[in-house]
């Protein structure tokens, strides 16, 4: 338990990532409300959340649950899939938010502009998370990766204290938290790691150890193209460091895109691969490896 005073947090989308964050914050002592569909909200209100994590420790916690935010909170953590964002955001009316932060932990880039059109722009704070966390049953979350890395971009100077306070609370749960001033850098640096893993592992339907052994050219090709596209967006990424991270990804890791594809669920192809290709088109940069993988995955999965 941290000596930081508790805050009120709403988690929009208590699936793998959202459920993990909700459980960790509730264990810390924060007042957590999970915003979800009626059946999920009813289950969580009655049974709470269970987190299974070798790295962060197991937890069983009680949480509040609702289908719609009806009172101000200090922060809303947005953890739905990108394709669900527009519909899910109906559960967070701008008028109910008060002065709270809106912190999306979504894949891709484009969600930031959409959220700033819906909510006061200075309250929308870029966040990224690198983790493998899966909802394996209603209210039960398994955190499988040995890492859980969060970055928050401060954004508006007037909000620095609130963002840093949220970062401190997340760090107090055991997460590896870094604060950044560079929002675009935070988003592009995550995409440079995420996109090669997600696109190539889904394309091969194999865990990342097999991907690394047999399809490293595709992995490095996507990473290189993202470095070039990010540079056109004013972000200088360290390509060698990015490849170093990819070399250290656990052999058994499977991306959430790969899991969704295997289960017949919609995949975040547009949010991840599409974001790279749109950036490449804006910059007049070629991205042939990413384009080929996206085209083949779209043909398979729609």
């Amino acid at each position: 338990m941290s000596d930081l005073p508790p805050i009120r947090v709403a988690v929009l989308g208590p699936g793998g990532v959202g459920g993990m964050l909700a459980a960790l914050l509730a264990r810390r002592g924060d007042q957590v409300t999970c915003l979800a569909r009626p059946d999920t909200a009813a289950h969580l209100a009655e049974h709470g959340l269970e987190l299974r994590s070798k790295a962060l420790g197991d937890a069983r916690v009680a949480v509040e649950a609702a289908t719609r935010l009806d009172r101000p909170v200090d922060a809303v953590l947005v953890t739905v899939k990108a394709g669900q964002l527009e519909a899910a955001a109906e559960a967070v009316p701008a008028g109910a938010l008060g002065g709270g932060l809106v912190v999306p932990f979504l894949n891709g880039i484009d969600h930031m502009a959409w959220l700033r059109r819906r909510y006061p722009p200075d309250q929308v704070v870029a966040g990224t998370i690198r983790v493998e966390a899966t909802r394996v049953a209603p209210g039960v979350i398994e955190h499988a990766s040995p890492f859980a890395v969060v970055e928050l971009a401060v954004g508006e100077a007037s909000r620095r204290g609130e963002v840093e306070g949220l970062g401190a609370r997340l760090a107090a749960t055991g997460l590896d938290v870094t604060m950044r001033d560079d929002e675009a850098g935070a988003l592009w640096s995550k995409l440079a790691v995420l996109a090669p893993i997600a696109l190539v592992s889904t394309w091969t339907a194999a865990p990342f150890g097999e991907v690394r052994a047999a399809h490293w050219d595709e992995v490095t090709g996507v990473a290189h193209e993202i470095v070039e596209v990010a540079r056109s967006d004013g972000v200088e990424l360290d390509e060698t460091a990015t490849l170093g991270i990819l070399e250290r990804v656990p052999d058994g890791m499977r991306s959430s895109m790969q899991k969704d594809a295997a289960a017949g669920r919609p995949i975040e192809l547009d949010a991840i691969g599409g974001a790279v290709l749109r950036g490449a088109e804006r910059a007049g940069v070629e991205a042939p490896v990413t384009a080929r993988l996206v085209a083949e995955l779209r043909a398979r999965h729609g």
Side-chain angles (χ1 to χ4, degrees):
M1 181 72 66
S2 167
D3 59 359
L4 293 166
I7 60 173
R8 298 162 299 167
V9 180
V11 176
L12 178 61
V17 170
M20 184 192 78
L21 293 174
L24 290 172
L25 288 167
R27 181 174 68 180
R28 197 198 79 85
D30 294 306
Q31 181 182 332
V32 176
T33 301
C34 292
L35 301 173
R37 293 189 298 263
D39 54 342
T40 300
H43 181 91
L44 295 178
E46 182 176 356
H47 301 286
L49 279 166
E50 178 183 356
L51 174 65
R52 302 170 182 170
S53 172
K54 290 182 179 179
L56 298 170
D58 296 343
R60 286 180 177 270
V61 295
V63 293
E64 297 181 18
T67 60
R68 187 177 175 88
L69 185 69
D70 60 3
R71 60 186 184 275
V73 291
D74 297 296
V76 176
L77 310 185
V78 183
T79 54
V80 296
K81 296 292 180 71
Q84 302 167 339
L85 176 60
E86 186 169 351
E90 293 298 320
V92 185
L97 180 63
L101 302 175
V102 177
V103 187
F105 290 101
L106 274 69
N107 294 325
I109 303 287
D110 302 332
H111 58 274
M112 294 300 300
W114 189 90
L115 286 166
R116 285 186 172 131
R117 289 193 296 270
R118 180 177 177 84
Y119 302 108
D122 67 313
Q123 292 177 224
V124 180
V125 175
T128 69
I129 186 166
R130 299 175 188 174
V131 69
E132 184 180 4
T134 306
R135 188 182 76 158
V136 296
V140 181
I141 311 299
E142 284 190 355
H143 167 218
S145 58
F147 55 86
V149 180
V150 168
E151 290 191 346
L152 296 177
V154 172
E156 290 286 337
S158 62
R159 294 284 177 170
R160 177 176 290 274
E162 295 159 80
V163 179
E164 289 180 343
L166 176 62
R169 287 166 175 82
L170 290 171
T173 70
L175 296 169
D176 180 358
V177 179
T178 299
M179 305 300 301
R180 297 184 60 147
D181 291 321
D182 179 11
E183 176 180 299
L187 295 171
W188 278 111
S189 63
K190 178 185 176 180
L191 195 58
V193 174
L194 169 67
I197 296 172
L199 295 177
V200 186
S201 69
T202 307
W203 178 64
T204 60
F208 199 70
E210 295 179 27
V211 169
R212 191 161 37 217
H215 296 283
W216 187 242
D217 286 349
E218 281 82 4
V219 171
T220 59
V222 173
H224 173 74
E225 290 170 2
I226 293 175
V227 169
E228 293 299 310
V229 174
R231 181 174 294 121
S232 72
D233 203 25
V235 175
E236 290 292 336
L237 298 179
D238 185 331
E239 186 168 346
T240 300
T242 299
L243 295 178
I245 294 171
L246 291 167
E247 288 170 346
R248 296 190 299 274
V249 171
D251 286 349
M253 184 171 181
R254 294 178 181 270
S255 68
S256 60
M257 181 190 287
Q258 180 184 359
K259 293 175 184 177
D260 286 341
R265 296 188 291 264
I267 63 173
E268 291 188 295
L269 189 59
D270 183 69
I272 297 173
V276 179
L277 297 180
R278 285 188 290 275
E281 184 177 5
R282 288 193 301 270
V285 173
E286 295 294 323
V289 180
T290 303
R292 174 169 60 88
L293 293 174
V294 168
E296 293 186 18
L297 288 169
R298 183 174 290 122
R300 287 187 215 167
H301 301 288

Coordinates of all heavy atoms in Angstrom, one line a residue, residues 192 196 217-231 237 239 242-243 246 276 285-290:
A192 N 6.5 1.2 -32.9 CA 7.7 0.6 -33.5 C 8.0 -0.8 -33.0 O 8.6 -1.6 -33.7 CB 8.9 1.5 -33.3
P196 N 5.6 -4.6 -35.5 CA 6.3 -5.8 -35.9 C 5.9 -7.1 -35.3 O 5.7 -8.2 -35.9 CB 7.8 -5.5 -35.6 CG 7.9 -4.1 -35.6 CD 6.6 -3.6 -35.0
D217 N 13.5 -11.0 -41.1 CA 13.5 -10.0 -42.2 C 12.2 -9.2 -42.2 O 12.3 -7.9 -42.3 CB 13.7 -10.6 -43.5 CG 15.2 -11.1 -43.7 OD1 16.0 -10.8 -42.9 OD2 15.4 -11.8 -44.7
E218 N 11.1 -9.8 -42.0 CA 9.8 -9.1 -41.9 C 9.8 -8.2 -40.7 O 9.3 -7.1 -40.7 CB 8.6 -10.0 -42.0 CG 8.3 -10.6 -43.3 CD 9.1 -11.8 -43.7 OE1 10.0 -12.2 -42.9 OE2 9.0 -12.3 -44.9
V219 N 10.2 -8.8 -39.6 CA 10.2 -8.0 -38.3 C 11.1 -6.7 -38.5 O 10.6 -5.6 -38.1 CB 10.7 -8.9 -37.1 CG1 10.9 -8.0 -35.9 CG2 9.7 -10.0 -36.9
T220 N 12.3 -6.9 -38.9 CA 13.2 -5.7 -39.1 C 12.7 -4.8 -40.2 O 12.9 -3.6 -40.0 CB 14.6 -6.2 -39.4 OG1 14.6 -6.9 -40.6 CG2 15.2 -7.0 -38.2
G221 N 12.0 -5.3 -41.2 CA 11.5 -4.5 -42.3 C 10.4 -3.6 -41.8 O 10.4 -2.3 -42.0
V222 N 9.5 -4.1 -41.0 CA 8.4 -3.2 -40.4 C 9.0 -2.2 -39.5 O 8.6 -1.0 -39.5 CB 7.4 -4.1 -39.7 CG1 6.3 -3.2 -39.0 CG2 6.7 -5.0 -40.7
A223 N 9.9 -2.6 -38.6 CA 10.5 -1.7 -37.7 C 11.2 -0.6 -38.4 O 11.1 0.6 -38.0 CB 11.5 -2.4 -36.7
H224 N 12.0 -0.9 -39.4 CA 12.7 0.1 -40.2 C 11.7 1.1 -40.8 O 12.0 2.3 -40.8 CB 13.6 -0.5 -41.2 CG 14.2 0.5 -42.1 ND1 15.3 1.3 -41.8 CD2 13.9 0.8 -43.4 CE1 15.6 2.1 -42.8 NE2 14.8 1.8 -43.8
E225 N 10.7 0.6 -41.4 CA 9.7 1.5 -42.0 C 9.0 2.4 -41.0 O 8.8 3.6 -41.3 CB 8.6 0.7 -42.7 CG 9.2 0.0 -44.0 CD 8.3 -1.1 -44.6 OE1 7.2 -1.3 -44.1 OE2 8.7 -1.7 -45.6
I226 N 8.8 2.0 -39.8 CA 8.2 2.8 -38.8 C 9.1 3.9 -38.3 O 8.8 5.0 -38.1 CB 7.7 2.0 -37.6 CG1 6.5 1.1 -38.1 CG2 7.2 2.9 -36.4 CD1 6.0 0.1 -37.0
V227 N 10.4 3.5 -38.2 CA 11.4 4.5 -37.9 C 11.4 5.7 -38.9 O 11.5 6.9 -38.6 CB 12.8 3.9 -37.8 CG1 13.9 5.0 -37.7 CG2 12.9 3.0 -36.5
E228 N 11.3 5.3 -40.2 CA 11.3 6.3 -41.3 C 10.1 7.2 -41.2 O 10.1 8.4 -41.4 CB 11.5 5.6 -42.6 CG 12.8 4.9 -42.9 CD 13.9 5.9 -42.8 OE1 13.9 6.9 -43.5 OE2 14.9 5.7 -42.1
V229 N 8.9 6.5 -41.0 CA 7.7 7.3 -40.9 C 7.7 8.2 -39.7 O 7.3 9.4 -39.8 CB 6.5 6.3 -40.9 CG1 5.2 7.1 -40.7 CG2 6.4 5.5 -42.2
A230 N 8.1 7.7 -38.6 CA 8.2 8.5 -37.4 C 9.1 9.8 -37.6 O 8.7 10.9 -37.1 CB 8.6 7.7 -36.2
R231 N 10.2 9.6 -38.3 CA 11.1 10.7 -38.5 C 10.3 11.8 -39.3 O 10.5 13.0 -39.0 CB 12.3 10.2 -39.3 CG 13.3 11.4 -39.6 CD 14.6 10.8 -40.2 NE 15.3 10.0 -39.3 CZ 15.6 8.7 -39.5 NH1 15.2 8.1 -40.7 NH2 16.3 8.0 -38.7
L237 N 13.5 7.9 -33.7 CA 13.6 6.7 -32.9 C 15.0 6.0 -33.1 O 15.5 6.1 -34.2 CB 12.5 5.7 -33.4 CG 11.0 6.2 -33.2 CD1 10.1 5.1 -33.8 CD2 10.7 6.5 -31.8
E239 N 16.7 3.0 -34.0 CA 16.3 1.7 -34.7 C 17.1 0.6 -34.0 O 16.5 -0.5 -33.8 CB 16.6 1.8 -36.1 CG 16.2 0.6 -36.9 CD 16.2 0.7 -38.4 OE1 16.4 1.9 -38.9 OE2 16.1 -0.3 -39.1
T242 N 15.3 -0.3 -30.8 CA 14.1 -0.9 -31.1 C 14.2 -2.4 -31.4 O 13.5 -3.3 -30.9 CB 13.3 -0.2 -32.2 OG1 13.1 1.2 -31.9 CG2 12.0 -0.9 -32.6
L243 N 15.2 -2.7 -32.3 CA 15.5 -4.1 -32.6 C 16.0 -4.8 -31.4 O 15.7 -6.0 -31.2 CB 16.5 -4.2 -33.7 CG 16.0 -3.6 -35.1 CD1 17.2 -3.7 -36.1 CD2 14.8 -4.3 -35.6
L246 N 13.0 -6.0 -29.6 CA 12.4 -7.1 -30.3 C 13.1 -8.4 -30.1 O 12.6 -9.5 -30.1 CB 12.2 -6.7 -31.7 CG 11.2 -5.6 -32.0 CD1 11.3 -5.1 -33.4 CD2 9.8 -6.1 -31.8
V276 N 0.5 3.1 -39.6 CA 1.8 3.2 -40.3 C 1.7 3.6 -41.7 O 2.4 4.5 -42.2 CB 2.6 1.8 -40.2 CG1 3.9 1.9 -40.9 CG2 2.8 1.4 -38.7
V285 N 6.6 8.4 -47.9 CA 7.6 7.3 -47.6 C 7.1 6.0 -48.0 O 6.0 5.7 -47.8 CB 7.9 7.3 -46.0 CG1 8.9 6.2 -45.7 CG2 8.5 8.7 -45.6
E286 N 8.0 5.2 -48.6 CA 7.6 3.8 -49.0 C 7.6 2.9 -47.7 O 8.5 3.0 -46.9 CB 8.6 3.3 -50.0 CG 8.6 4.0 -51.3 CD 7.2 3.9 -52.1 OE1 6.6 2.8 -52.0 OE2 6.8 4.9 -52.7
A287 N 6.6 2.0 -47.6 CA 6.5 1.0 -46.6 C 6.1 -0.3 -47.1 O 5.0 -0.8 -46.8 CB 5.6 1.5 -45.5
P288 N 6.9 -0.9 -48.0 CA 6.4 -2.1 -48.7 C 6.2 -3.3 -47.9 O 5.3 -4.1 -48.1 CB 7.5 -2.3 -49.8 CG 8.7 -1.7 -49.2 CD 8.2 -0.5 -48.4
V289 N 7.0 -3.5 -46.8 CA 6.9 -4.7 -46.0 C 5.6 -4.6 -45.2 O 4.7 -5.6 -45.2 CB 8.1 -4.9 -45.1 CG1 7.9 -6.2 -44.2 CG2 9.3 -5.0 -45.8
T290 N 5.3 -3.5 -44.6 CA 4.1 -3.3 -43.8 C 2.9 -3.4 -44.8 O 1.9 -4.0 -44.4 CB 4.1 -1.9 -43.2 OG1 5.3 -1.8 -42.3 CG2 2.8 -1.7 -42.3

